[in-house]
Amino acid sequence: MLCFGRLIAGLGCGAAIVVVPIYIAETAPPKEKGLFGAFTQISICLGILVTQLLGYFLSKGNLWRIILAVAGVVGLVQLAGLTLVPESPKWLAEHKSPQHARHILQKIRGRKADIDAEVKAWNIDATVDDI
């Protein structure tokens, strides 16, 4: 059972390392994509550091169970947070939901943000009325 849990955790972490930077690239403000991309990589490295420190200090006796508990809690927090993440506006626009994509982008950027230039940069085949 422990091996199966490790397999599932590994698949989840591997998928997250691939999917999260793509999602951030599609949702980050155009002028700040580099900052968000770099911050993602720094966060991954800090997560690895924390994991290694937990392994170093808690690998004695029965303390190894704390490492598994921390991993479980982090996974549950991520699962709960995933329910709050909106779909990628760019993906929605490319898959024939331009009005919904615009609504999601406006929600991400804020009510007063001007998103017209960003929507035009999507280069989708839709009339202005659809967007």
Coordinates of all heavy atoms in Angstrom, one line a residue, residues 51-131:
T51 N 11.5 19.3 1.6 CA 11.3 17.9 1.6 C 12.6 17.2 2.1 O 12.6 16.2 2.9 CB 10.9 17.4 0.2 OG1 9.7 18.0 -0.2 CG2 10.7 15.9 0.2
Q52 N 13.7 17.6 1.5 CA 15.0 17.0 1.9 C 15.3 17.3 3.4 O 15.8 16.4 4.1 CB 16.1 17.6 1.0 CG 16.1 17.1 -0.4 CD 16.2 15.6 -0.6 OE1 17.0 15.0 0.1 NE2 15.4 15.1 -1.4
L53 N 15.0 18.5 3.9 CA 15.2 18.8 5.3 C 14.4 17.9 6.2 O 14.8 17.4 7.2 CB 15.0 20.3 5.6 CG 16.0 21.2 5.0 CD1 15.6 22.7 5.2 CD2 17.4 21.0 5.6
L54 N 13.1 17.7 5.8 CA 12.2 16.9 6.6 C 12.8 15.4 6.6 O 12.8 14.8 7.6 CB 10.8 16.8 5.9 CG 9.9 18.0 6.2 CD1 8.6 17.9 5.4 CD2 9.6 18.1 7.7
G55 N 13.3 15.0 5.4 CA 13.8 13.6 5.4 C 15.1 13.5 6.2 O 15.3 12.5 6.9
Y56 N 15.9 14.5 6.2 CA 17.2 14.5 7.0 C 16.9 14.5 8.5 O 17.5 13.7 9.2 CB 18.0 15.7 6.6 CG 19.3 15.8 7.4 CD1 20.4 14.9 7.0 CD2 19.5 16.6 8.4 CE1 21.6 14.9 7.7 CE2 20.8 16.7 9.1 CZ 21.8 15.8 8.7 OH 23.0 15.8 9.4
F57 N 16.0 15.3 9.0 CA 15.8 15.5 10.4 C 14.8 14.5 11.0 O 14.8 14.2 12.2 CB 15.3 16.9 10.8 CG 16.4 17.9 10.6 CD1 16.4 18.8 9.6 CD2 17.5 17.9 11.4 CE1 17.4 19.8 9.4 CE2 18.6 18.8 11.3 CZ 18.5 19.8 10.3
L58 N 13.9 13.9 10.1 CA 12.8 13.1 10.6 C 12.9 11.6 10.2 O 12.0 10.9 10.2 CB 11.4 13.6 10.2 CG 11.1 15.0 10.7 CD1 9.8 15.5 10.2 CD2 11.1 15.1 12.2
S59 N 14.1 11.2 9.8 CA 14.3 9.8 9.3 C 14.7 8.9 10.4 O 15.1 7.8 10.1 CB 15.3 9.8 8.1 OG 16.5 10.3 8.5
K60 N 14.6 9.3 11.6 CA 15.1 8.4 12.7 C 13.8 7.8 13.5 O 12.9 8.5 13.7 CB 15.9 9.3 13.7 CG 17.2 9.8 13.0 CD 17.7 10.9 13.8 CE 18.9 11.6 13.2 NZ 18.6 12.3 12.0
G61 N 13.9 6.6 13.7 CA 12.9 5.9 14.5 C 11.5 6.0 13.8 O 11.4 5.7 12.6
N62 N 10.5 6.3 14.6 CA 9.1 6.4 14.0 C 8.8 7.7 13.5 O 7.6 8.0 13.1 CB 8.1 6.0 15.1 CG 8.2 4.5 15.3 OD1 8.5 3.7 14.5 ND2 7.8 4.1 16.6
L63 N 9.7 8.7 13.4 CA 9.4 10.0 13.0 C 9.2 10.1 11.5 O 8.6 11.0 11.0 CB 10.6 10.9 13.3 CG 10.8 11.2 14.8 CD1 12.0 12.1 15.0 CD2 9.6 11.9 15.4
W64 N 9.5 9.0 10.7 CA 9.3 9.0 9.3 C 7.8 9.1 8.9 O 7.4 9.6 7.9 CB 9.8 7.7 8.6 CG 9.2 6.5 9.1 CD1 9.6 5.7 10.2 CD2 8.0 5.8 8.6 NE1 8.8 4.6 10.4 CE2 7.8 4.7 9.4 CE3 7.2 6.1 7.6 CZ2 6.7 3.8 9.2 CZ3 6.1 5.3 7.4 CH2 5.9 4.1 8.1
R65 N 6.9 8.8 9.9 CA 5.5 8.9 9.7 C 5.1 10.4 9.5 O 4.1 10.7 8.8 CB 4.7 8.3 10.8 CG 4.9 6.8 10.8 CD 4.0 6.1 11.9 NE 4.1 4.7 11.8 CZ 4.7 3.9 12.6 NH1 5.4 4.5 13.6 NH2 4.7 2.6 12.5
I66 N 5.8 11.3 10.2 CA 5.5 12.7 10.0 C 5.8 13.2 8.6 O 5.0 14.0 8.1 CB 6.4 13.5 11.0 CG1 6.0 13.2 12.5 CG2 6.2 15.0 10.8 CD1 6.9 13.8 13.5
I67 N 6.8 12.6 8.0 CA 7.1 13.0 6.6 C 5.9 12.6 5.7 O 5.4 13.4 4.8 CB 8.3 12.3 6.1 CG1 9.5 12.7 6.9 CG2 8.6 12.6 4.6 CD1 10.8 11.9 6.6
L68 N 5.3 11.4 5.9 CA 4.2 11.0 5.1 C 2.9 11.9 5.4 O 2.2 12.2 4.5 CB 3.8 9.5 5.4 CG 4.9 8.5 4.9 CD1 4.4 7.1 5.3 CD2 5.1 8.6 3.4
A69 N 2.8 12.2 6.7 CA 1.6 13.1 7.1 C 1.7 14.4 6.4 O 0.7 15.0 5.9 CB 1.6 13.2 8.6
V70 N 2.9 15.0 6.4 CA 3.1 16.3 5.8 C 2.8 16.2 4.3 O 2.1 17.1 3.7 CB 4.5 16.9 6.0 CG1 4.8 18.1 5.2 CG2 4.7 17.2 7.5
A71 N 3.3 15.2 3.6 CA 3.0 15.0 2.2 C 1.5 14.9 2.0 O 0.9 15.4 1.0 CB 3.7 13.8 1.7
G72 N 0.8 14.1 2.8 CA -0.6 14.0 2.7 C -1.4 15.3 2.9 O -2.3 15.6 2.2
V73 N -1.0 16.1 3.9 CA -1.6 17.4 4.1 C -1.4 18.3 3.0 O -2.3 19.0 2.5 CB -1.1 18.0 5.5 CG1 -1.5 19.4 5.6 CG2 -1.6 17.2 6.6
V74 N -0.2 18.4 2.4 CA 0.1 19.2 1.3 C -0.7 18.8 0.1 O -1.3 19.6 -0.6 CB 1.6 19.2 0.9 CG1 1.9 19.8 -0.4 CG2 2.4 19.9 2.0
G75 N -0.9 17.5 -0.1 CA -1.7 17.0 -1.2 C -3.1 17.4 -1.1 O -3.8 17.8 -2.0
L76 N -3.7 17.3 0.1 CA -5.1 17.6 0.4 C -5.3 19.1 0.2 O -6.3 19.5 -0.3 CB -5.5 17.2 1.8 CG -5.6 15.7 2.0 CD1 -5.9 15.3 3.4 CD2 -6.7 15.1 1.0
V77 N -4.4 19.9 0.7 CA -4.5 21.4 0.5 C -4.5 21.7 -1.0 O -5.3 22.6 -1.5 CB -3.4 22.1 1.2 CG1 -3.3 23.6 0.8 CG2 -3.6 22.0 2.7
Q78 N -3.6 21.1 -1.8 CA -3.6 21.3 -3.2 C -4.9 20.9 -3.9 O -5.4 21.6 -4.8 CB -2.4 20.6 -3.9 CG -1.1 21.2 -3.6 CD 0.1 20.5 -4.3 OE1 0.0 19.3 -4.5 NE2 1.1 21.2 -4.6
L79 N -5.4 19.7 -3.5 CA -6.7 19.3 -4.0 C -7.8 20.2 -3.7 O -8.6 20.5 -4.6 CB -7.0 17.9 -3.5 CG -8.2 17.2 -4.0 CD1 -8.1 17.0 -5.5 CD2 -8.5 15.9 -3.3
A80 N -7.8 20.7 -2.5 CA -8.9 21.7 -2.2 C -8.7 23.0 -3.0 O -9.6 23.6 -3.5 CB -8.8 22.0 -0.7
G81 N -7.4 23.5 -3.1 CA -7.1 24.7 -3.9 C -7.5 24.5 -5.3 O -7.8 25.5 -6.0
L82 N -7.3 23.3 -5.9 CA -7.6 23.1 -7.3 C -9.1 23.4 -7.6 O -9.4 23.8 -8.8 CB -7.3 21.7 -7.6 CG -7.3 21.3 -9.1 CD1 -6.3 22.1 -9.9 CD2 -7.0 19.8 -9.3
T83 N -10.0 23.3 -6.7 CA -11.4 23.6 -6.9 C -11.6 25.1 -7.1 O -12.7 25.4 -7.7 CB -12.3 23.1 -5.8 OG1 -11.9 23.7 -4.6 CG2 -12.1 21.6 -5.6
L84 N -10.7 25.9 -6.7 CA -10.8 27.3 -6.8 C -10.2 27.9 -8.1 O -10.4 29.1 -8.3 CB -10.2 28.0 -5.6 CG -10.8 27.6 -4.2 CD1 -10.0 28.2 -3.1 CD2 -12.2 27.9 -4.1
V85 N -9.4 27.1 -8.8 CA -8.7 27.6 -9.9 C -9.6 27.6 -11.2 O -10.2 26.6 -11.5 CB -7.5 26.7 -10.2 CG1 -6.7 27.1 -11.5 CG2 -6.5 26.7 -9.0
P86 N -9.7 28.8 -11.8 CA -10.5 28.9 -13.0 C -9.8 28.2 -14.2 O -8.6 28.1 -14.2 CB -10.7 30.4 -13.3 CG -9.5 31.0 -12.6 CD -9.2 30.1 -11.5
E87 N -10.6 27.9 -15.2 CA -10.0 27.3 -16.4 C -9.1 28.4 -17.1 O -9.4 29.6 -16.9 CB -11.0 26.8 -17.4 CG -11.7 25.5 -16.9 CD -12.6 24.9 -18.0 OE1 -12.1 24.5 -19.0 OE2 -13.8 24.9 -17.7
S88 N -8.2 28.0 -17.9 CA -7.4 28.9 -18.7 C -8.2 29.7 -19.7 O -8.9 29.0 -20.5 CB -6.3 28.2 -19.4 OG -5.7 29.0 -20.4
P89 N -8.2 31.0 -19.6 CA -9.0 31.8 -20.6 C -8.6 31.5 -22.0 O -9.4 31.4 -23.0 CB -8.8 33.2 -20.2 CG -8.4 33.2 -18.8 CD -7.7 31.9 -18.6
K90 N -7.3 31.4 -22.2 CA -6.8 31.2 -23.6 C -7.3 29.8 -24.1 O -7.6 29.7 -25.3 CB -5.2 31.2 -23.6 CG -4.6 31.2 -24.9 CD -3.1 31.4 -24.9 CE -2.5 31.3 -26.3 NZ -1.1 31.5 -26.2
W91 N -7.2 28.8 -23.3 CA -7.7 27.5 -23.7 C -9.2 27.5 -24.0 O -9.7 27.0 -25.0 CB -7.5 26.5 -22.6 CG -7.8 25.1 -23.0 CD1 -7.0 24.2 -23.6 CD2 -9.1 24.4 -22.8 NE1 -7.7 23.0 -23.8 CE2 -9.0 23.1 -23.4 CE3 -10.3 24.8 -22.3 CZ2 -10.1 22.2 -23.4 CZ3 -11.4 23.9 -22.3 CH2 -11.2 22.7 -22.8
L92 N -10.0 28.2 -23.2 CA -11.4 28.4 -23.4 C -11.7 29.1 -24.8 O -12.6 28.7 -25.5 CB -12.1 29.1 -22.3 CG -12.3 28.4 -21.0 CD1 -12.8 29.3 -19.9 CD2 -13.3 27.3 -21.2
A93 N -10.9 30.1 -25.0 CA -11.1 30.9 -26.3 C -10.8 30.0 -27.5 O -11.4 30.1 -28.5 CB -10.2 32.1 -26.3
E94 N -9.7 29.2 -27.4 CA -9.4 28.4 -28.5 C -10.3 27.2 -28.7 O -10.4 26.6 -29.8 CB -7.9 27.8 -28.3 CG -6.9 28.9 -28.4 CD -5.5 28.4 -28.0 OE1 -5.4 27.2 -27.5 OE2 -4.5 29.1 -28.2
H95 N -11.1 26.9 -27.7 CA -12.1 25.8 -27.8 C -13.5 26.2 -27.9 O -14.4 25.7 -27.2 CB -11.8 24.8 -26.7 CG -10.5 24.0 -26.8 ND1 -9.3 24.5 -26.4 CD2 -10.3 22.9 -27.4 CE1 -8.4 23.7 -26.7 NE2 -8.9 22.6 -27.3
K96 N -13.7 27.3 -28.6 CA -15.0 27.8 -28.9 C -15.9 28.3 -27.8 O -17.1 28.2 -27.8 CB -15.8 26.8 -29.7 CG -15.1 26.2 -30.9 CD -14.8 27.3 -31.9 CE -14.0 26.6 -33.1 NZ -13.1 27.5 -33.7
S97 N -15.3 28.9 -26.8 CA -16.0 29.6 -25.7 C -15.4 31.0 -25.5 O -15.0 31.3 -24.3 CB -16.0 28.8 -24.4 OG -16.6 27.6 -24.5
P98 N -15.4 31.8 -26.5 CA -14.7 33.1 -26.3 C -15.4 34.0 -25.3 O -14.7 34.7 -24.6 CB -14.7 33.7 -27.7 CG -15.8 33.0 -28.5 CD -15.9 31.6 -27.8
Q99 N -16.7 34.0 -25.2 CA -17.4 34.9 -24.2 C -17.1 34.4 -22.8 O -16.8 35.3 -22.0 CB -18.9 34.8 -24.5 CG -19.7 35.8 -23.6 CD -19.3 37.3 -23.9 OE1 -18.9 37.6 -25.0 NE2 -19.3 38.1 -22.8
H100 N -17.1 33.1 -22.6 CA -16.7 32.6 -21.3 C -15.3 32.9 -20.9 O -14.9 33.2 -19.8 CB -17.1 31.1 -21.2 CG -16.9 30.6 -19.8 ND1 -17.6 31.0 -18.7 CD2 -16.1 29.5 -19.4 CE1 -17.2 30.3 -17.6 NE2 -16.3 29.4 -18.0
A101 N -14.4 32.8 -21.9 CA -13.0 33.1 -21.8 C -12.8 34.5 -21.3 O -12.0 34.8 -20.5 CB -12.2 32.8 -23.1
R102 N -13.5 35.4 -22.0 CA -13.3 36.8 -21.7 C -13.8 37.1 -20.2 O -13.2 37.8 -19.5 CB -14.1 37.7 -22.7 CG -13.9 39.2 -22.4 CD -14.7 40.0 -23.5 NE -14.6 41.4 -23.2 CZ -13.6 42.1 -23.7 NH1 -12.7 41.6 -24.4 NH2 -13.6 43.4 -23.4
H103 N -14.9 36.4 -19.8 CA -15.4 36.6 -18.5 C -14.4 36.1 -17.5 O -14.2 36.8 -16.4 CB -16.8 35.8 -18.4 CG -17.3 35.8 -17.0 ND1 -17.9 36.9 -16.4 CD2 -17.3 34.8 -16.1 CE1 -18.2 36.5 -15.1 NE2 -17.9 35.2 -14.9
I104 N -13.8 34.9 -17.7 CA -12.8 34.4 -16.8 C -11.6 35.3 -16.7 O -11.1 35.6 -15.6 CB -12.4 33.0 -17.2 CG1 -13.6 32.0 -17.1 CG2 -11.2 32.5 -16.4 CD1 -14.1 31.7 -15.7
L105 N -11.1 35.8 -17.8 CA -10.0 36.7 -17.8 C -10.3 38.0 -17.0 O -9.4 38.4 -16.3 CB -9.5 37.0 -19.3 CG -8.3 37.9 -19.4 CD1 -7.1 37.1 -18.8 CD2 -8.0 38.3 -20.8
Q106 N -11.5 38.5 -17.2 CA -11.8 39.7 -16.5 C -11.9 39.4 -15.0 O -11.5 40.3 -14.2 CB -13.2 40.2 -17.0 CG -13.5 41.6 -16.5 CD -12.6 42.7 -17.1 OE1 -12.7 42.8 -18.3 NE2 -11.9 43.4 -16.3
K107 N -12.3 38.2 -14.6 CA -12.4 37.8 -13.2 C -11.0 37.7 -12.6 O -10.7 38.1 -11.5 CB -13.1 36.5 -13.1 CG -13.4 36.1 -11.7 CD -14.3 34.8 -11.8 CE -14.5 34.2 -10.4 NZ -15.3 33.0 -10.4
I108 N -10.1 37.2 -13.4 CA -8.7 37.0 -13.0 C -8.0 38.4 -12.8 O -7.3 38.6 -11.8 CB -7.9 36.1 -13.9 CG1 -8.4 34.7 -13.9 CG2 -6.4 36.2 -13.6 CD1 -7.8 33.8 -14.9
R109 N -8.2 39.2 -13.8 CA -7.5 40.5 -13.8 C -8.1 41.6 -12.9 O -7.5 42.5 -12.5 CB -7.4 41.1 -15.2 CG -6.7 40.2 -16.2 CD -5.2 40.3 -16.0 NE -4.5 39.5 -17.0 CZ -4.1 38.3 -16.9 NH1 -4.3 37.7 -15.7 NH2 -3.5 37.6 -17.8
G110 N -9.4 41.5 -12.7 CA -10.1 42.4 -11.9 C -11.1 43.2 -12.7 O -10.9 43.3 -13.9
R111 N -12.1 43.8 -12.1 CA -13.2 44.4 -12.9 C -12.7 45.6 -13.7 O -13.2 45.9 -14.8 CB -14.3 44.9 -11.9 CG -15.2 43.8 -11.4 CD -16.3 44.4 -10.7 NE -16.5 43.6 -9.4 CZ -17.0 44.0 -8.3 NH1 -17.5 45.2 -8.2 NH2 -17.1 43.2 -7.3
K112 N -11.8 46.4 -13.2 CA -11.4 47.6 -13.8 C -10.2 47.4 -14.8 O -9.8 48.4 -15.5 CB -10.9 48.6 -12.8 CG -12.1 49.0 -11.8 CD -11.7 50.0 -10.8 CE -12.8 50.4 -9.9 NZ -12.5 51.3 -8.9
A113 N -9.7 46.2 -14.9 CA -8.6 46.0 -15.8 C -9.0 46.0 -17.3 O -10.1 45.5 -17.6 CB -8.0 44.6 -15.5
D114 N -8.2 46.6 -18.2 CA -8.5 46.6 -19.6 C -7.9 45.3 -20.2 O -6.6 45.2 -20.2 CB -7.9 47.8 -20.2 CG -8.2 47.9 -21.7 OD1 -9.2 47.3 -22.2 OD2 -7.5 48.7 -22.4
I115 N -8.7 44.4 -20.7 CA -8.2 43.1 -21.2 C -8.3 43.0 -22.7 O -8.0 42.0 -23.3 CB -9.0 42.0 -20.6 CG1 -10.5 42.1 -20.9 CG2 -8.7 41.9 -19.1 CD1 -11.3 40.8 -20.5
D116 N -8.8 44.1 -23.4 CA -9.0 44.1 -24.8 C -7.7 43.7 -25.6 O -7.8 42.8 -26.5 CB -9.5 45.4 -25.4 CG -10.9 45.7 -24.8 OD1 -11.7 44.7 -24.6 OD2 -11.3 46.9 -24.7
A117 N -6.6 44.3 -25.3 CA -5.4 43.9 -26.0 C -5.0 42.5 -25.8 O -4.5 41.8 -26.8 CB -4.2 44.8 -25.6
E118 N -5.2 42.0 -24.6 CA -4.8 40.6 -24.4 C -5.8 39.6 -25.1 O -5.3 38.6 -25.6 CB -4.9 40.3 -22.9 CG -4.3 39.1 -22.4 CD -4.1 39.0 -20.9 OE1 -4.3 40.0 -20.2 OE2 -3.8 37.9 -20.4
V119 N -7.1 40.0 -25.2 CA -8.0 39.2 -25.9 C -7.7 39.1 -27.4 O -7.7 38.1 -28.0 CB -9.5 39.6 -25.6 CG1 -10.5 39.0 -26.5 CG2 -9.8 39.4 -24.2
K120 N -7.3 40.3 -27.9 CA -7.0 40.3 -29.3 C -5.7 39.5 -29.6 O -5.5 39.0 -30.7 CB -6.8 41.8 -29.8 CG -8.1 42.5 -29.9 CD -7.8 44.0 -30.3 CE -9.1 44.7 -30.3 NZ -9.0 46.2 -30.6
A121 N -4.8 39.4 -28.7 CA -3.6 38.7 -28.9 C -3.8 37.2 -28.9 O -3.0 36.4 -29.4 CB -2.6 39.0 -27.7
W122 N -5.0 36.7 -28.5 CA -5.3 35.3 -28.6 C -5.5 34.8 -30.1 O -5.3 33.6 -30.3 CB -6.6 35.0 -27.9 CG -6.6 35.1 -26.4 CD1 -5.4 35.0 -25.6 CD2 -7.7 35.2 -25.5 NE1 -5.8 35.1 -24.3 CE2 -7.1 35.2 -24.2 CE3 -9.0 35.3 -25.7 CZ2 -7.9 35.4 -23.1 CZ3 -9.8 35.4 -24.6 CH2 -9.3 35.5 -23.3
N123 N -5.8 35.7 -31.0 CA -5.9 35.4 -32.4 C -6.9 34.3 -32.7 O -6.6 33.3 -33.3 CB -4.5 35.1 -33.0 CG -3.6 36.2 -33.0 OD1 -4.0 37.4 -33.2 ND2 -2.3 35.9 -32.9
I124 N -8.1 34.5 -32.1 CA -9.1 33.4 -32.3 C -10.0 33.9 -33.5 O -10.2 35.1 -33.7 CB -9.9 33.1 -31.1 CG1 -10.6 34.4 -30.5 CG2 -9.1 32.5 -30.0 CD1 -11.6 34.2 -29.5
D125 N -10.6 33.0 -34.1 CA -11.6 33.3 -35.2 C -13.0 33.5 -34.7 O -13.8 32.5 -34.6 CB -11.6 32.1 -36.3 CG -10.3 32.0 -37.0 OD1 -9.6 33.0 -37.1 OD2 -9.9 30.9 -37.4
A126 N -13.3 34.6 -34.2 CA -14.6 35.0 -33.7 C -14.8 36.5 -33.9 O -13.9 37.3 -34.0 CB -14.6 34.7 -32.2
T127 N -16.0 36.8 -34.1 CA -16.4 38.2 -34.2 C -16.3 38.9 -32.9 O -16.3 38.3 -31.9 CB -17.8 38.3 -34.8 OG1 -18.7 37.8 -33.8 CG2 -18.0 37.6 -36.1
V128 N -16.2 40.2 -33.0 CA -16.1 41.0 -31.8 C -17.3 40.8 -30.9 O -17.2 40.9 -29.6 CB -15.9 42.5 -32.1 CG1 -15.8 43.4 -30.9 CG2 -14.6 42.7 -33.0
D129 N -18.4 40.6 -31.5 CA -19.6 40.4 -30.7 C -19.6 39.1 -29.8 O -20.2 39.0 -28.8 CB -20.9 40.3 -31.6 CG -21.1 41.7 -32.3 OD1 -20.7 42.7 -31.7 OD2 -21.7 41.7 -33.4
D130 N -18.9 38.1 -30.4 CA -18.7 36.8 -29.6 C -17.9 37.0 -28.4 O -18.0 36.2 -27.5 CB -18.1 35.7 -30.5 CG -19.1 35.3 -31.6 OD1 -20.3 35.5 -31.5 OD2 -18.7 34.7 -32.6
I131 N -16.9 37.9 -28.5 CA -16.0 38.1 -27.4 C -16.5 39.2 -26.6 O -16.5 39.6 -25.7 CB -14.6 38.4 -27.9 CG1 -14.1 37.3 -28.9 CG2 -13.6 38.5 -26.8 CD1 -12.8 37.5 -29.5

